[in-house]
Amino acid sequence: MSTPYPFTAIVGQDDLRLGLLLNAVSPAVGGVLVRGEKGTAKSTAVRALAALMPEVSVVPGCRFSCDPASPDPACPDGPHPEAAGVSRAARTVELPVGASEDRLVGALDIERALSEGVKAFEPGLLADAHRGILYVDEVNLLHDHLVDLLLDAAAMGASYVEREGVSVRHAARFLLVGTMNPEEGELRPQLLDRFGLTVEVAASRDTDERVEVVRRRLAYDDDPEGFAARWAEEETALRERIAAARALLPRVVLGDGVLRQIAATCAAFEVDGMRADIVMARTATALAAWAGREEVTADDVRQAALLALPHRRRRNPFDAPGLDEDKLDQTLDEAGPQENQENNDGDDDPDPGPDGGGDGGGGGGVPPQADEDRTPPQGSEGDETPSQAPGSAPDAPGRSAGAEQQPVAAAEPFRTKMLSVPGLGEGAAGRRSRARTAHGRTTGAVRPQGALTKLHLSATVQAAAPHQRSRGRSGRGLVVRRDDLRQATREGREGNLVLFVVDASGSMAARQRMSAVKGAVLSLLLDAYQRRDKVGLVTFRGKEAEVALPPTSSVDAAAARLESLPTGGRTPLSAGLLKAHDVLRVERLRDPSRRPLLVVVTDGRATGGPEPVALAGRAARLHQAEGTASVVVDCESGYVRLGLAGELARELGGTAVTLDELRADSIAGLVKDVTAAGRAA
């Protein structure tokens, strides 16, 4: 087994270390979600925490880590006779993003269960993680069905394996730790709420600190055991401090005054439910124990809020995590006793960080925004010019039609109608288009290829029934063999690749019009987030098209690119469609099972170069020839309409929908599957 990197050797990252250590002191806090960019020691810190966790006492030979003092009466390996337990290190179990359901919850031998009545059960990762740490790297990329199983286990403290009426239950209480890069997509709100704390991490911009990070990492890579030995004393001291804080924790007093501050803070920030109040109370208590105090203070409450609330107050994926610290301080002052306010006036030093001397880094405050996401792309039609006044014509006198204009804000997003890809796919689980999936309604039965996961009981019985006499059946039981087993085929929903092609030319430049267009695209992005899609963004204006955002699971990154999108110039529609064709061609090679949905947002005009309309038609027919499902969002406005977007939809072999018809509450018509309605017309 390789030597882990010492926890105390991690440079900086005070929030990260504090969040992990508070869970080591009090596992009831509920775990921690670590959000941050690549290469910020997220995984290193989590794996290093295992060496600091106290040992656990287990029943000898029990595969489910039962506590000898109170063994699980429903343990599949039980009942356990009274015996002395054995101590072992707490486990850190890693859940791979691509793990199967059986690997997570365990596998039941259906053949033996049917033919012999024996519950032959092979434990999964949830059993291994009981009374330890369950670590999920890139937790935001975890498949939905695994997320559902994690939610159930975290809520009930137990795992259930059900196979056609045969069930096995075992205890599964673990510390859930997840790491993620927000650029790759956000978590489902239900799973997000299951993490007690969240911390934001970023690479230091201090030169000396970065030098020290590199120096220590190189030293560790050259001699892991020697490097760990040099930090052994600090590791021992930290381990002893955790043990002391755990011993002190039951004696920590959570007074009515600070409890009122906790409740007032959660109410002021409008978090959903009561879990935030409970987590804040447990976190504040752990902070006091970590500092060696027997009473929770207002500073503990403040630090607990910065760790426990940011991820619970987001209303949609486009909201930046974080808290308004001025509002937090005001709320604490208003809810706290007068004497506490007077005592805290001269104390600006919050709870010590993991090393006992820092301030914890402000745990969970607003993360730095990526500058590159906020910088408008440079245009190809000259320098930027001041934006035109609201209500003015795009081609007003004194203004060049090709001049680039400043980005405008998006209109308020709305709930959109359902857009889906026709046919039956086999892509990643999601909520958009019909697909063959591991979950959903049963549609048939087939012979299993490999391990049986979903038994089709009636089909299995029908396959076995004709052979009972030849197999010598004499009793009431059914004689079942491997060849009789049938796998259930199921139909559910898949996530798609939704590629937006947005017209940012001068014909779209009226501020009110472009604001409505951005609002529509933002609404579709929100819908894509809820349906577990990947999204990409292609824009065209001036003389060319560009990939503003390559296909990604991060819809908030797409929203940031959309926000900074300027307009102006000619309308190279064919260039936009050809760029989209290139993007889809590459994505088909990368992920052939994920079906694309092309959403073209334009008024249908094409200008620039020789025969722009004919070129756009040829580019559209490329998508039609490859069977790409498409929809054109018609942005044309005014009393006189040319109907060019409808012509484009017919060339694509898709359908057209106006901005008004896109709304779910519109009575203009129902948008169903993106079928070949355009072709039929």
Side-chain angles (χ1 to χ4, degrees):
M1 183 177 181
S2 60
T3 303
Y5 192 91
F7 191 88
T8 50
I10 296 172
V11 179
Q13 304 295 11
D14 291 338
D15 289 352
L16 170 58
R17 292 187 291 150
L18 180 61
L20 292 172
L21 289 172
L22 290 178
N23 277 276
V25 171
S26 175
V29 166
V32 60
L33 173 66
V34 186
R35 297 164 46 94
E37 58 195 30
K38 303 175 290 291
T40 48
K42 300 188 298 292
S43 300
T44 299
V46 174
R47 295 185 177 106
L49 179 67
L52 303 175
M53 297 288 287
E55 292 187 339
V56 294
S57 179
V58 299
V59 173
C62 178
R63 298 175 297 168
F64 302 87
S65 303
C66 280
D67 186 350
S70 57
D72 181 8
C75 176
D77 285 354
H80 297 297
E82 293 186 8
V86 295
S87 295
R88 62 161 174 78
R91 292 172 179 160
T92 296
V93 177
E94 295 193 31
L95 172 60
V97 170
S100 65
E101 179 179 334
D102 285 347
R103 184 71 187 100
L104 178 62
V105 301
L108 189 65
D109 191 328
I110 298 297
E111 184 177 0
R112 293 188 62 191
L114 288 177
S115 60
E116 303 175 27
V118 175
K119 294 183 181 180
F121 182 69
E122 184 66 29
L125 295 177
L126 290 179
D128 293 340
H130 180 47
R131 304 176 66 200
I133 301 171
L134 181 62
Y135 170 47
V136 189
D137 193 13
E138 306 294 351
V139 63
N140 51 323
L141 303 182
L142 202 62
H143 289 300
D144 272 5
H145 68 285
L146 297 183
V147 170
D148 293 337
L149 294 171
L150 273 182
L151 289 174
D152 291 342
M156 298 183 293
S159 174
Y160 292 84
V161 181
E162 301 281 349
R163 293 290 188 273
E164 300 296 340
V166 181
S167 64
V168 173
R169 173 207 170 277
H170 65 81
R173 292 182 295 275
F174 46 82
L175 174 62
L176 183 60
V177 180
T179 57
M180 61 174 282
N181 183 349
E183 294 178 356
E184 297 171 339
E186 290 291 344
L187 275 177
R188 284 173 55 181
Q190 295 93 331
L191 182 57
L192 195 62
D193 190 52
R194 286 294 175 187
F195 287 97
L197 311 179
T198 184
V199 294
E200 298 280 340
V201 296
S204 172
R205 299 298 182 255
D206 181 80
T207 302
D208 293 337
E209 193 167 290
R210 295 175 74 96
V211 167
E212 187 61 23
V213 170
V214 175
R215 181 181 291 118
R216 292 186 186 182
R217 186 69 210 192
L218 292 177
Y220 170 78
D221 291 340
D222 289 340
D223 182 12
E225 293 182 0
F227 183 82
R230 291 196 293 275
W231 290 88
E233 186 175 343
E234 288 83 351
E235 291 282 286
T236 300
L238 186 57
R239 192 179 296 107
E240 291 174 351
R241 185 178 175 185
I242 293 173
R246 278 197 169 196
L248 179 62
L249 188 65
R251 304 198 301 273
V252 175
V253 177
L254 184 69
D256 289 343
V258 293
L259 195 55
R260 180 171 292 276
Q261 286 181 313
I262 290 171
T265 301
C266 292
F269 285 99
E270 300 179 349
V271 296
D272 296 330
M274 295 297 298
R275 184 174 285 116
D277 304 62
I278 297 170
V279 171
M280 271 190 66
R282 289 170 174 167
T283 304
T285 304
L287 280 162
W290 179 249
R293 289 183 273 101
E294 294 188 4
E295 186 173 356
V296 177
T297 67
D299 285 335
D300 296 326
V301 176
R302 185 182 192 278
Q303 184 70 43
L306 291 170
L307 290 168
L309 296 188
H311 61 301
R312 291 188 165 88
R313 61 175 299 274
R314 302 185 74 189
R315 290 297 181 263
N316 66 62
F318 311 133
D319 293 338
L323 293 181
D324 182 339
E325 296 195 32
D326 291 337
K327 179 180 178 180
L328 173 61
D329 291 335
Q330 181 182 352
T331 302
L332 293 174
D333 288 342
E334 292 174 352
Q338 186 64 34
E339 58 269 22
N340 282 356
Q341 297 176 27
E342 295 173 357
N343 292 338
N344 291 338
D345 283 344
D347 183 10
D348 293 328
D349 185 24
D351 270 352
D355 57 359
D359 64 354
V366 179
Q369 297 295 323
D371 292 338
E372 59 269 25
D373 285 356
R374 304 297 177 186
T375 303
Q378 296 300 312
S380 59
E381 296 291 315
D383 297 334
E384 289 184 354
T385 60
S387 58
Q388 64 191 83
S392 62
D395 299 329
R399 177 177 304 280
S400 168
E404 180 180 292
Q405 301 178 33
Q406 293 284 3
V408 299
E412 190 70 21
F414 52 85
R415 189 167 65 89
T416 66
K417 288 178 178 175
M418 178 67 170
L419 303 175
S420 61
V421 178
L424 195 63
E426 296 182 346
R431 298 181 177 181
R432 184 172 297 278
S433 305
R434 294 173 54 229
R436 298 182 185 90
T437 60
H439 301 269
R441 63 184 184 90
T442 300
T443 58
V446 295
R447 290 181 181 272
Q449 301 294 323
L452 179 72
T453 55
K454 298 291 183 182
L455 178 74
H456 196 296
L457 184 58
S458 61
T460 298
V461 172
Q462 289 175 9
H467 308 290
Q468 296 305 294
R469 180 173 298 178
S470 62
R471 292 174 183 174
R473 173 186 170 187
S474 57
R476 300 178 60 184
L478 189 68
V479 181
V480 179
R481 294 181 179 174
R482 176 68 186 176
D483 290 343
D484 301 327
L485 300 180
R486 295 294 183 269
Q487 175 86 19
T489 58
R490 304 197 174 193
E491 183 179 310
R493 293 280 173 175
E494 68 177 357
N496 297 111
L497 166 59
V498 182
L499 182 62
F500 294 92
V501 182
V502 179
D503 185 348
S505 65
S507 66
M508 306 282 286
R511 297 184 67 84
Q512 187 176 6
R513 184 180 183 185
M514 196 61 196
S515 177
V517 168
K518 285 189 175 182
V521 178
L522 198 64
S523 304
L524 290 167
L525 284 171
L526 183 58
D527 181 68
Y529 164 76
Q530 294 168 341
R531 299 189 188 282
R532 309 291 179 264
D533 294 317
K534 289 179 69 175
V535 297
L537 180 62
V538 172
T539 64
F540 59 94
R541 62 187 178 88
K543 297 179 180 178
E544 59 185 13
E546 66 172 349
V547 181
L549 182 72
T552 175
S553 297
S554 179
V555 295
D556 50 346
R561 300 296 198 278
L562 182 70
E563 178 185 348
S564 62
L565 179 66
T567 56
R570 296 184 182 275
T571 312
L573 178 56
S574 61
L577 295 174
L578 290 174
K579 183 68 72 173
H581 183 268
D582 290 341
V583 171
L584 294 180
R585 177 177 53 81
V586 173
E587 286 302 308
R588 285 189 179 97
L589 296 175
R590 290 178 177 171
D591 189 358
S593 64
R594 188 180 289 269
R595 297 187 295 163
L597 172 61
L598 183 68
V599 179
V600 185
V601 185
T602 182
D603 57 9
R605 298 184 184 183
T607 60
E611 299 183 345
V613 176
L615 287 174
R618 286 199 290 270
R621 288 191 291 274
L622 285 177
H623 290 281
Q624 182 185 30
E626 294 188 353
T628 302
S630 59
V631 60
V632 177
V633 179
D634 184 358
C635 303
E636 194 174 23
S637 59
Y639 292 107
V640 179
R641 303 195 179 195
L642 302 178
L644 298 176
E647 292 291 340
L648 176 62
R650 282 188 283 275
E651 296 280 10
L652 286 166
T655 188
V657 56
T658 66
L659 289 175
D660 289 337
E661 292 171 342
L662 192 61
R663 293 177 177 271
D665 54 358
S666 170
I667 60 174
L670 181 63
V671 179
K672 296 183 179 180
D673 286 354
V674 185
T675 60
R679 300 175 214 167

